[in-house]
Amino acid sequence: MMYFVLSRPDCVWCDRAIELLQKKGVDFQVHSIYDHPMTVRLMLRGQLKTAPQIWVDKEYIGGYKDLVNHFS
C-alpha cells in the first residue's frame, strides 16, 4: 500500500498526518499543493478546500481526522 499526501507549507494538520504515517510505518509520498500550478485549481474543482488531502493507492481517505479513523 502506498499513501499519497497533498500538503501545504506550515500546516499543522499536514505535519500530524505525516507523523502518523511515519508512526504506522507505512509507505507514503508527500507533495505540496504548490508543486504544480494546476494542483490548487484541481483541488478547488474537486471541492477539496483544505490540506492535507490523503489517498491510499487509488482510494480517497480525506483529511487528517479521516486518516486517524482509517487506522482505527
Side-chain angles (χ1 to χ4, degrees):
M1 287 188 150
M2 174 64 73
Y3 289 81
F4 178 86
V5 180
L6 277 178
S7 68
R8 65 176 176 77
D10 300 320
C11 170
V12 173
W13 298 111
C14 300
D15 294 340
R16 289 184 182 179
I18 293 165
E19 289 170 7
L20 179 58
L21 292 168
Q22 289 171 334
K23 181 179 175 182
K24 294 295 182 179
V26 298
D27 293 328
F28 66 94
Q29 296 178 352
V30 179
H31 298 275
S32 170
I33 63 172
Y34 304 117
D35 283 348
H36 191 281
M38 288 301 295
T39 306
V40 173
R41 289 182 184 168
L42 290 170
M43 284 180 64
L44 292 173
R45 190 143 170 82
Q47 299 180 355
L48 305 175
K49 298 176 182 173
T50 61
Q53 294 296 322
I54 306 160
W55 289 260
V56 59
D57 295 327
K58 294 181 181 181
E59 177 187 339
Y60 178 66
I61 293 176
Y64 172 73
K65 291 179 184 178
D66 301 307
L67 181 64
V68 170
N69 290 335
H70 170 77
F71 285 119
S72 296

